[in-house]
Amino acid sequence: MRILVPGKNGQVGWELQTALAPLGTVIALDRSGMDLASPDSIRRAIRDAQPGIIVNAAGYTNVDQAESEPELAMQVNGIAPGIMAEEAKRLEAVFIHYSTDYVFDGGLERPYTEDDLPRPVNVYGRTKLAGERAIQTAGGHYLILRASWIYSARGPNFVLTILRLARARPELSVVADQTGSPTWARALAQATAALLRCQELIPRHSGIYHLAAAGHTSRHEFAGAIIREAQAISGIAEGWARVKAITSDQYPLPAARPLNLVTNRDKVKKVFGVELTHWSDQLRSCLKELDPTAQPAAAGAGR
Ligand SMILES: NC(=O)c1ccc[n+]([C@@H]2O[C@H](COP(=O)([O-])OP(=O)(O)OC[C@H]3O[C@@H](n4cnc5c(N)ncnc54)[C@H](OP(=O)(O)O)[C@@H]3O)[C@@H](O)[C@H]2O)c1
């Protein structure tokens, strides 16, 4: 079985190459192998590879930059997934695509189910929602996996940014009114492999699934947990920043953020028996793999 993975250098794409290897021959592509901004490039890459499975890990993921590049973000997140789904259908291949809980406005007091009405508050969320709809319109055998706050040892991401700044500054101000479920890219990749091991279920159960680490936390609490874990792993107790709670209003960014994003993941557990571990366990496992005191200054801004 050939498994095509566009986005090979991204957080999830990188981890998928290892997680999917036991399932078949992984053909991982970067932008030069498949440019999601070019429908021709997408069709050509898929027709050349003739995959039985496509796992799309590529996407326009810079939430703030999307506000000033809405056309490109729509091409990559909104239009390209539909083309991939059409090509997958033509080949009778399974198509797996990652979407986001940013399709919601974050105003609900309870966890969002897959049946709740999406109402994105920024360009990124609108383009990802368009991608979901394009896949649904194309049909075929597909899973749309709505993930949440992804991080890995490869950045840029929130975890690496906090680790870097926590050693460089006495105090960090982090928003306390945004809630989510931080998810290690490796856990997401392994869950994707687990879903593909139940491949025979996918034709009957194509659709949208929420998939993220168990539990939820605020950005502020998450930053505190990152620093506590880093202290424990490094054995260095001194020289770390204090974490101060602020509100999103006090930290304006180009793109608005949904605030209370907790997703209900019962559906993926019920249909496929797949469930991720708690976010705090995933964070510990990720940090154990890197030197939490040695994050380069070029790690970049987090998402
Ligand atoms: N990060 C999060 O917090 C988060 C949360 C929920 C859902 N998701 C979704 O999960 C998926 C994977 O996220 P991630 O965090 O692994 O993303 P990532 O680390 O930003 O990687 C995205 C990849 O997409 C590639 N890409 C961007 N534009 C492209 C284009 N025009 N053609 C081909 N490739 C292109 C990038 O290539 P270059 O390396 O060349 O730039 C990069 O390798 C995305 O669909 C994202 O929307 C992410």
Side-chain angles (χ1 to χ4, degrees):
M1 172 75 73
R2 277 191 298 281
I3 309 171
L4 189 66
V5 179
K8 71 181 249 191
N9 293 318
Q11 302 191 90
V12 178
W14 186 258
E15 296 292 344
L16 281 170
Q17 294 172 61
T18 308
L20 300 182
L23 302 181
T25 304
V26 177
I27 305 163
L29 301 178
D30 63 14
R31 204 183 277 256
S32 68
M34 186 197 288
D35 180 359
L36 269 67
S38 157
D40 284 349
S41 164
I42 298 168
R43 290 197 184 95
R44 197 177 329 111
I46 295 175
R47 289 176 191 186
D48 285 352
Q50 296 282 310
I53 299 170
I54 302 171
V55 183
N56 177 30
Y60 186 112
T61 56
N62 189 321
V63 174
D64 289 312
Q65 203 170 311
E67 297 293 313
S68 51
E69 290 186 325
E71 292 85 9
L72 178 59
M74 186 57 86
Q75 190 70 42
V76 173
N77 290 342
I79 295 171
I83 298 169
M84 287 189 217
E86 282 167 13
E87 290 297 317
K89 188 177 174 188
R90 220 172 56 85
L91 294 172
E92 296 181 7
V94 166
F95 181 45
I96 312 275
H97 175 75
Y98 300 98
S99 188
T100 171
D101 52 6
Y102 273 31
V103 296
F104 295 118
D105 65 7
L108 211 60
E109 295 293 319
R110 58 160 174 79
Y112 283 92
T113 71
E114 290 82 352
D115 293 330
D116 282 316
L117 193 67
R119 198 176 294 137
V121 299
N122 56 36
V123 168
Y124 171 74
R126 283 194 283 281
T127 63
K128 294 296 289 186
L129 179 60
E132 291 185 357
R133 293 190 169 150
I135 295 167
Q136 289 171 313
T137 302
H141 303 156
Y142 66 88
L143 300 180
I144 296 167
L145 307 174
R146 283 190 187 142
S148 178
W149 290 9
I150 299 172
Y151 63 89
S152 75
R154 296 165 69 82
N157 59 54
F158 185 79
V159 171
L160 297 185
T161 301
I162 294 295
L163 286 176
R164 175 172 52 91
L165 296 180
R167 302 289 294 163
R169 295 187 189 169
E171 184 173 87
L172 298 181
S173 296
V174 183
V175 296
D177 57 359
Q178 291 177 25
T179 305
S181 300
T183 303
W184 187 20
R186 181 167 309 164
L188 192 58
Q190 287 169 345
T192 305
L195 291 169
L196 284 169
R197 287 194 177 92
C198 315
Q199 216 189 115
E200 70 287 353
L201 294 177
I202 295 177
R204 265 187 301 133
H205 295 285
S206 287
I208 296 176
Y209 293 85
H210 292 168
L211 188 63
H216 58 270
T217 185
S218 71
R219 292 253 182 218
H220 171 258
E221 278 176 36
F222 186 38
I226 293 165
I227 293 175
R228 277 195 307 281
E229 281 299 337
Q231 285 173 321
I233 289 166
S234 66
I236 300 171
E238 304 298 321
W240 299 88
R242 288 182 307 279
V243 185
K244 181 182 156 195
I246 58 168
T247 63
S248 297
D249 290 346
Q250 292 172 286
Y251 192 71
L253 290 166
R257 299 298 200 272
L259 296 185
N260 182 34
L261 277 185
V262 182
T263 52
N264 176 313
R265 303 115 203 189
D266 290 350
K267 186 179 169 192
V268 75
K269 186 177 171 194
K270 193 168 159 218
V271 176
F272 293 99
V274 169
E275 188 177 20
L276 270 66
T277 54
H278 196 268
W279 67 264
S280 57
D281 297 323
Q282 294 183 14
L283 174 65
R284 190 168 308 124
S285 301
C286 177
L287 291 187
K288 278 185 180 158
E289 285 201 1
L290 46 95
D291 177 354
T293 61
Q295 292 312 306
R303 283 178 289 236

